[in-house]
Amino acid sequence: MIRHLIPAAAAMLLLPALSLSASAAIKYDPSWPCQQRKVPELSLGQFWNGPDLPKSAADWEKDSAVSVLVEEVAQRRVPLDEANKKIVDFAASLAPDKKQDRMMMVVQGLFDHMGRERSDVMSGISHYAHSQADLAAYVRKESSELDAFRDKPGADPDEVDRRTDKLNMDIRTFEERTKSLTYVCEVPTVIEQRLYQLMKTVAGTVADQKKK
């Protein structure tokens, strides 16, 4: 007995999932698969409204303590409360006459480090989306070929079953990858929100310094 076959029409209905999720972003980048609008570059002003950064802030990676702090608090696996405390404790450990300059390094460091992380994630999303598009095209071809084979006089039922199982498995893979993509699409926003919260904490340490 021939196993249940997902018809070609049903397979085709699965494939627009990628383009539908991109509909909100299509006027910005037709290949971008996420509902969230694609913003390739961030600006510091979106996250920091404190004092202008001195030129020395660009050298934050040369300050080992600042570099370590940035690396630690930027990690999403570190709870935000813990990350904020690390920033506050670091600021409290600094000499008053060095505090603002070094905290400005922290600002630049967070923006640079987390901006690079976000860019890497977005590149990964684009690559993933292209892979999904390739898989969608393959499933369409596979489904069409199966329909043609099944309609042939004397088609081997066992071969139809084998091809059907393969098509069903590929469709499930496509669906699972689409669900994963939905989750991954949220990561750039998560990074942006974390960066904003960390910047607020840094701003608080600078404001406290001015009051003293």
Side-chain angles (χ1 to χ4, degrees):
M1 180 178 178
I2 297 176
R3 295 181 181 86
H4 174 65
L5 169 67
I6 295 181
M12 293 291 285
L13 286 173
L14 290 172
L15 306 182
L18 197 62
S19 59
L20 284 175
S21 65
S23 61
I26 195 166
K27 66 180 179 179
Y28 303 100
D29 183 349
S31 67
W32 182 245
C34 304
Q35 291 182 349
Q36 297 87 341
R37 183 166 64 91
K38 182 179 182 181
V39 180
E41 302 272 340
L42 299 177
S43 67
L44 182 61
Q46 293 174 265
F47 303 92
W48 178 251
N49 60 1
D52 291 340
L53 304 190
K55 290 184 179 179
S56 60
D59 296 327
W60 65 271
E61 289 179 294
K62 297 178 182 177
D63 187 315
S64 59
V66 169
S67 184
V68 168
L69 176 69
V70 166
E71 179 73 28
E72 288 180 346
V73 303
Q75 297 180 64
R76 280 173 283 131
R77 63 181 176 81
V78 176
L80 188 58
D81 288 347
E82 181 180 332
N84 286 331
K85 185 176 185 303
K86 286 179 180 290
I87 291 173
V88 172
D89 290 347
F90 178 78
S93 73
L94 301 176
D97 61 330
K98 302 291 185 182
K99 182 175 181 179
Q100 179 152 324
D101 284 347
R102 294 188 74 192
M103 293 310 293
M104 294 302 96
M105 285 186 173
V106 173
V107 170
Q108 188 67 62
L110 288 171
F111 181 75
D112 290 348
H113 181 87
M114 297 179 75
R116 285 196 294 264
E117 179 188 9
R118 178 181 176 277
S119 294
D120 289 344
V121 170
M122 293 181 72
S123 295
I125 289 173
S126 294
H127 178 75
Y128 196 98
H130 289 142
S131 297
Q132 276 291 82
D134 290 342
L135 179 57
Y138 176 76
V139 169
R140 284 196 297 268
K141 179 175 177 290
E142 190 178 19
S143 178
S144 178
E145 289 176 351
L146 176 55
D147 281 347
F149 179 81
R150 185 183 54 176
D151 291 341
K152 285 183 178 179
D156 181 358
D158 290 337
E159 180 65 9
V160 172
D161 283 348
R162 186 191 68 78
R163 292 193 180 194
T164 298
D165 289 344
K166 175 69 166 55
L167 175 60
N168 289 342
M169 182 177 67
D170 289 338
I171 290 174
R172 283 195 296 270
T173 298
F174 181 86
E175 291 177 315
E176 290 168 2
R177 285 173 58 88
T178 298
K179 290 177 183 177
S180 296
L181 183 60
T182 300
Y183 167 76
V184 174
C185 279
E186 297 175 358
V187 175
T189 300
V190 170
I191 294 172
E192 293 165 23
Q193 291 171 344
R194 184 178 183 88
L195 177 58
Y196 178 75
Q197 292 299 324
L198 295 176
M199 289 291 201
K200 280 182 64 178
T201 300
V202 175
T205 67
V206 174
D208 289 344
Q209 173 71 10
K210 289 182 177 181
K211 292 176 183 177
K212 295 179 181 179

